[in-house]
C-alpha cells in the first residue's frame, strides 16, 4: 500500500495547491477532408471531428471523477486549415471556421485550434486567404483559435508575413471591439511553432502527426510555489532541486491521465506538455513562484535569471517522469491569465521590455498582453519581429499574443473573462518602426555555428 | 481495480461503521485500513478492492459524498494509481 503521508501529500496538492490537468487535447488530421467544393470539405470536417471526439468530454469527466484530479479543459486541434481549404478555391475561409466552431459545440469542447497557416518561408495560395479570413472568423465564431507561424530557425523570418499580421491583429481588435478586442486573445503569431502543442490558442495538429492523437497539458504553479515555501532562504541549487521534484510528480499525474484517456478512447497517446500554466485565480500564478524565489515583485532585475532556473528545472523533472514529453513544456507567462503578473503590471514592476527579455528563457513569449488600442500596425509587426528573432536565433518557440484593446489606453483595464482573465493596458515604446517593417522581404536563416 | 478512501474530520462515534456500511452494500472488499488521531482529527485511510463492485464507480462515489454530508467529515475515494504514479516511476 502506498505510504500514508504520500496519500495526504497528493490530496493536498490537488485540493489546496490547485494541481490539475489543464487540458486534454485531441489532435485530428483533416487531410482527407480536402475537397474541391468548400461545402463538401466543411461537411467532411464537421463529420470527422464529431466522429472522433464524440466521447472526449465524457471520458475526461469520468477520469476526473475516478482519480479525483480536476481536468479543466477538453479541446481539439486540427490540421492547419490553410492546407485543407486551399483546394476549395474559396476566397474566404469563414465557412471553415464556422464548421470547426459547430463541431466544437457539438462535442462540448471549449476551444478548437487549427485555423492556422505556416508561412515561415512564404505564402501558398491558401495561406494568404486564410490569414485574411482571420479577423472575421474570430469575430463570428466563439471557440475557434487561430495561429500563424511566421518564422523558424531553419528558414529565417518572413517579414512580409510579420507585416501582414500587424494589420490582421488590428483588424481583429476592431471587429471584436465590443468585447475588449477579445478576438486577439484567440490569435497567436509564432516562431518555431510545434506540431503537438496541446495549449490554446496556439494548438494545431501538425503534418507529421498521426491520424488522431491525445496530447495532455499538465499544470501546477501553485504546487511549485508551496514546495518552495518549504525551502525559504536555501541556496538556489536547492530551489532548483525542489522544483524538479515537484515537476516530476505533476508530470506523473499527467502521464497517468494521458494513458487512461488514450486507452478509453482507443486513440494513441501523443505527448505530455508539462508547462506551468497559470490562471487568474489566487494561488495559481507563475509570477508568485518567481517572487517566492526572492524577488520583491515579478519584473524586478533578477526576474530573467529566476525564470531561467524555474523553466529549466521544470523540464528536468518532467523529462525524468515521462518518456513522452513534448509540446512547449516550460513556464508560461501570460500577463492577463496570471494573478501575480497582473499585480506586477499594475504596480509598474513588470514592463513590456522586461517581458520580452523573459521570453528568451521560458516557453512561448509575449502572451496575453493588453496594449493601447491606438498602437500602430507597424509597431505590432515590430513586436512580432523582435519576438521571432529571439526564437529563431535561440532555436526555441516564441510567440506573440498581444491585444491592442480598441478604445482603451494606458491606465485602463481590459476584461477578457474566465481563464483569459483581465489585464491593465501596458505602454509600448512610442517610437516608430514603420520604415523597417515596410521593407518586407525576409530575414535570412541565421548561421548555426559561431555561437556567441 | 483498487481505490483509496480517505476520511478526515472531527472524531465521533460510528465513523468506520457508517463508511464500511456503504462499502459492504456495494460489495467492496477492504484490504487494508489505517487509522489515527492527528491533532485531534480523525484520519483514516482504506485500501479497497473494487473488482466485484456491485454498482458503477460514480454511484459509489455519490453515496460516499452523501455520507460526507451526513456525518460532516471529508470522505474521498480515488483510484489507487494516482497515488502510486505520482510518487514513483
Amino acid at each position: 500500500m502506498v505510504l500514508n503521508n504520500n496519500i495526504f501529500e497528493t490530496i493536498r496538492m490537488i485540493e489546496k495547491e490547485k494541481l490539475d490537468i489543464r487540458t486534454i487535447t485531441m489532435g485530428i488530421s483533416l487531410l482527407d477532408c480536402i475537397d474541391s467544393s468548400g461545402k463538401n470539405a466543411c461537411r467532411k470536417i464537421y463529420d470527422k471531428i464529431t466522429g472522433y471526439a464524440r466521447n472526449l468530454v465524457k471520458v475526461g469527466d469520468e477520469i476526473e471523477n475516478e482519480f479525483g484530479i480536476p481536468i479543466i479543459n477538453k479541446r481539439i486541434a486540427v490540421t492547419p486549415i490553410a492546407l485543407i481549404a486551399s483546394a476549395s478555391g474559396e476566397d474566404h475561409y469563414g465557412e471553415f471556421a464556422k464548421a470547426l466552431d459547430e463541431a466544437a459545440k457539438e462535442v462540448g469542447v471549449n476551444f478548437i485550434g487549427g485555423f492556422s497557416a505556416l508561412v515561415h518561408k512564404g505564402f501558398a495560395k491558401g495561406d494568404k486567404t486564410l490569414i485574411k479570413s482571420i479577423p472575421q472568423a474570430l469575430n463570428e465564431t466563439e471557440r475557434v483559435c487561430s495561429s500563424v507561424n511566421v518564422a523558424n530557425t531553419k528558414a529565417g523570418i518572413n517579414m512580409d508575413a510579420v507585416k501582414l499580421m500587424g494589420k490582421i491583429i488590428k483588424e481583429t481588435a476592431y471587429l471584436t471591439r465590443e468585447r475588449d478586442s477579445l478576438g486577439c486573445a484567440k490569435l497567436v503569431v509564432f516562431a518555431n511553432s510545434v506540431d503537438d502543442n496541446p495549449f490554446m490558442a496556439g494548438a494545431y495538429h501538425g503534418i507529421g502527426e498521426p491520424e488522431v492523437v491525445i496530447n495532455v497539458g499538465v499544470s501546477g504553479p501553485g504546487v511549485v510555489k508551496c514546495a518552495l515555501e518549504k525551502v525559504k532562504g536555501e541556496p538556489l541549487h536547492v530551489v532548483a532541486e525542489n522544483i524538479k521534484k515537484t515537476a516530476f510528480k505533476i508530470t506523473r499525474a499527467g502521464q497517468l491521465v494521458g494513458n487512461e484517456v488514450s486507452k478509453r478512447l482507443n486513440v494513441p497517446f501523443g505527448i505530455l506538455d508539462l508547462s506551468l500554466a497559470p490562471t487568474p485565480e489566487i494561488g495559481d500564478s507563475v509570477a508568485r513562484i518567481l517572487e517566492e524565489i526572492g524577488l520583491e515583485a515579478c519584473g524586478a532585475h533578477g526576474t530573467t535569471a529566476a525564470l531561467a532556473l524555474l523553466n529549466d528545472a521544470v523540464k528536468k523533472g518532467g523529462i525524468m517522469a515521462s518518456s513522452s514529453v513534448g509540446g512547449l513544456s516550460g513556464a508560461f507567462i501570460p500577463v492577463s491569465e496570471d494573478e501575480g503578473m497582473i499585480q506586477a503590471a499594475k504596480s509598474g514592476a513588470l514592463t513590456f521590455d522586461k517581458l520580452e527579455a523573459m521570453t528568451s528563457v521560458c516557453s512561448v513569449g509575449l502572451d496575453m498582453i493588453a496594449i493601447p488600442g491606438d498602437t500602430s500596425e507597424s509597431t505590432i509587426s515590430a513586436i512580432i519581429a523582435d519576438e521571432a528573432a529571439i526564437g529563431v536565433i535561440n532555436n526555441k518557440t516564441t510567440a506573440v499574443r498581444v491585444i491592442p484593446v480598441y478604445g482603451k489606453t494606458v491606465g485602463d483595464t481590459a476584461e477578457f473573462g474566465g481563464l483569459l482573465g483581465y489585464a491593465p493596458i501596458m505602454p509600448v515604446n512610442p517610437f516608430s518602426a514603420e520604415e523597417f517593417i515596410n521593407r518586407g522581404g525576409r530575414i535570412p536563416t541565421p548561421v548555426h555555428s559561431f555561437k556567441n | 481495480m483498487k481505490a483509496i478512501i480517505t476520511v478526515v474530520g472531527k472524531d465521533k462515534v460510528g465513523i468506520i461503521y457508517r463508511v464500511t456500511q456503504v462499502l459492504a452494500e456495494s460489495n467492496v472488499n477492504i484490504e487494508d485500513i489505517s487509522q489515527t488521531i492527528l491533532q485531534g482529527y480523525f484520519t483514516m485511510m482504506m485500501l479497497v478492492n473494487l473488482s466485484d463492485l456491485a454498482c458503477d464507480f460514480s454511484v459509489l462515489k455519490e453515496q460516499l459524498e452523501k455520507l460526507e454530508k451526513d456525518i460532516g467529515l471529508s470522505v474521498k475515494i480515488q483510484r489507487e494509481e494516482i497515488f502510486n504514479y505520482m510518487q514513483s516511476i
Side-chain angles (χ1 to χ4, degrees):
Chain A
M1 187 176 173
V2 275
L3 294 170
N4 291 358
N5 47 359
N6 287 354
I7 292 179
F8 280 107
E9 185 193 65
T10 302
I11 291 178
R12 193 189 63 236
M13 285 164 89
I14 294 170
E15 301 231 314
K16 298 225 162 68
E17 300 167 6
K18 300 192 162 61
L19 169 64
D20 57 48
I21 304 300
R22 185 50 50 88
T23 179
I24 305 174
T25 304
M26 179 181 267
I28 302 173
S29 167
L30 297 182
L31 287 172
D32 57 351
C33 299
I34 293 175
D35 200 292
S36 56
S37 143
K39 208 173 163 193
N40 285 347
C42 287
R43 183 181 43 76
K44 286 186 194 169
I45 288 171
Y46 178 87
D47 290 348
K48 186 160 188 188
I49 294 172
T50 51
Y52 274 126
R54 187 159 302 286
N55 291 322
L56 177 64
V57 173
K58 181 171 144 269
V59 163
D61 290 344
E62 273 171 19
I63 291 171
E64 170 168 343
N65 201 29
E66 286 176 27
F67 291 102
I69 183 163
I71 300 174
I72 311 293
N73 298 302
K74 293 92 186 170
R75 293 170 169 172
I76 293 169
V78 298
T79 314
I81 291 295
L83 299 169
I84 307 303
S86 183
S88 73
E90 308 264 345
D91 54 10
H92 192 280
Y93 296 159
E95 289 305 313
F96 286 84
K98 282 183 190 155
L100 294 178
D101 203 39
E102 280 161 23
K105 284 176 181 160
E106 171 64 25
V107 299
V109 297
N110 61 356
F111 280 123
I112 183 163
F115 197 74
S116 305
L118 311 175
V119 295
H120 36 270
K121 211 162 176 186
F123 300 97
K125 200 179 93 197
D127 294 331
K128 264 212 169 131
T129 312
L130 181 120
I131 293 174
K132 288 185 174 156
S133 309
I134 288 174
Q136 198 187 331
L138 293 182
N139 183 37
E140 290 176 358
T141 60
E142 183 194 338
R143 305 185 186 190
V144 173
C145 290
S146 177
S147 59
V148 177
N149 191 58
V150 297
N152 79 17
T153 299
K154 293 226 163 74
I157 306 173
N158 178 352
M159 288 300 289
D160 292 327
V162 168
K163 182 180 173 194
L164 179 57
M165 287 315 294
K167 181 167 178 276
I168 295 295
I169 289 173
K170 284 283 282 188
E171 271 180 40
T172 308
Y174 178 74
L175 284 182
T176 55
R177 61 191 179 280
E178 304 295 328
R179 290 163 284 162
D180 273 353
S181 301
L182 179 70
C184 298
K186 297 183 283 181
L187 173 57
V188 192
V189 186
F190 273 114
N192 288 323
S193 67
V194 292
D195 285 353
D196 52 9
N197 157 31
F199 287 102
M200 294 297 168
Y204 66 85
H205 186 74
I207 282 297
E209 294 287 305
E211 170 74 2
V212 56
V213 72
I214 288 290
N215 296 323
V216 172
V218 293
S219 189
V223 182
V224 174
K225 179 172 184 295
C226 292
L228 292 185
E229 284 169 5
K230 292 174 199 138
V231 292
K232 265 197 197 317
E234 304 263 355
L236 289 169
H237 59 269
V238 178
V239 170
E241 187 64 21
N242 208 294
I243 295 172
K244 214 167 75 179
K245 283 183 183 155
T246 311
F248 173 89
K249 290 175 189 168
I250 298 172
T251 311
R252 293 293 290 169
Q255 170 90 28
L256 173 66
V257 168
N259 284 341
E260 199 65 29
V261 176
S262 150
K263 198 166 76 191
R264 289 191 201 183
L265 289 173
N266 197 22
V267 166
F269 178 43
I271 61 97
L272 188 64
D273 188 320
L274 45 97
S275 295
L276 292 182
T279 70
E281 271 184 64
I282 306 270
D284 210 13
S285 155
V286 170
R288 299 296 184 204
I289 299 176
L290 301 175
E291 291 168 4
E292 184 61 41
I293 296 176
L295 303 164
E296 185 186 354
C298 178
H301 291 296
T303 300
T304 310
L307 182 58
L309 177 154
L310 170 66
N311 201 52
D312 184 63
V314 166
K315 284 183 207 291
K316 285 172 178 162
I319 286 166
M320 180 67 185
S322 165
S323 315
S324 317
V325 172
L328 299 164
S329 288
F332 289 167
I333 50 167
V335 177
S336 77
E337 298 175 358
D338 185 308
E339 170 270 325
M341 298 266 174
I342 296 168
Q343 296 310 324
K346 272 188 184 163
S347 70
L350 184 62
T351 61
F352 198 94
D353 292 347
K354 189 63 182 177
L355 279 162
E356 185 183 307
M358 289 161 75
T359 64
S360 61
V361 298
C362 78
S363 38
V364 199
L366 294 168
D367 198 13
M368 290 304 286
I369 304 175
I371 57 175
D374 61 1
T375 308
S376 69
E377 285 173 17
S378 60
T379 295
I380 294 173
S381 295
I383 290 170
I384 296 170
D386 280 346
E387 200 53 31
I390 291 174
V392 166
I393 299 293
N394 294 307
N395 203 9
K396 73 183 286 295
T397 304
T398 51
V400 173
R401 182 163 52 148
V402 293
I403 302 104
V405 186
Y406 188 84
K408 291 198 173 176
T409 190
V410 178
D412 297 333
T413 298
E415 295 276 352
F416 307 117
L419 278 179
L420 297 172
Y422 65 99
I425 313 281
M426 289 179 105
V428 296
N429 192 309
F431 293 91
S432 170
E434 198 167 351
E435 274 185 48
F436 170 65
I437 294 302
N438 278 341
R439 284 172 182 267
R442 226 156 45 85
I443 294 184
T445 319
V447 65
H448 293 299
S449 56
F450 307 116
K451 291 261 180 196
N452 264 313
Chain B
M1 183 166 96
K2 292 184 181 179
I4 303 274
I5 295 175
T6 49
V7 184
V8 181
K10 200 166 173 296
D11 198 9
K12 59 162 89 169
V13 171
I15 301 172
I16 297 186
Y17 169 76
R18 295 287 300 273
V19 175
T20 52
Q21 194 180 23
V22 172
L23 298 179
E25 281 164 9
S26 307
N27 204 30
V28 173
N29 190 32
I30 301 166
E31 295 191 346
D32 199 352
I33 298 188
S34 83
Q35 183 237 294
T36 180
I37 305 287
L38 270 179
Q39 295 166 342
Y41 282 96
F42 174 88
T43 307
M44 176 172 76
M45 266 164 283
M46 272 180 182
L47 175 67
V48 297
N49 191 324
L50 305 178
S51 359
D52 298 319
L53 183 62
C55 55
D56 273 354
F57 183 92
S58 56
V59 174
L60 175 63
K61 189 166 174 168
E62 275 164 28
Q63 284 172 343
L64 290 172
E65 278 164 3
K66 186 170 169 289
L67 180 68
E68 186 173 60
K69 286 196 191 105
D70 286 356
I71 61 174
L73 277 86
S74 149
V75 182
K76 293 195 185 315
I77 181 164
Q78 285 163 280
R79 295 253 309 259
E80 187 203 14
E81 294 98 312
I82 184 92
F83 303 103
N84 285 330
Y85 240 80
M86 281 179 65
Q87 306 286 349
S88 61
I89 299 186

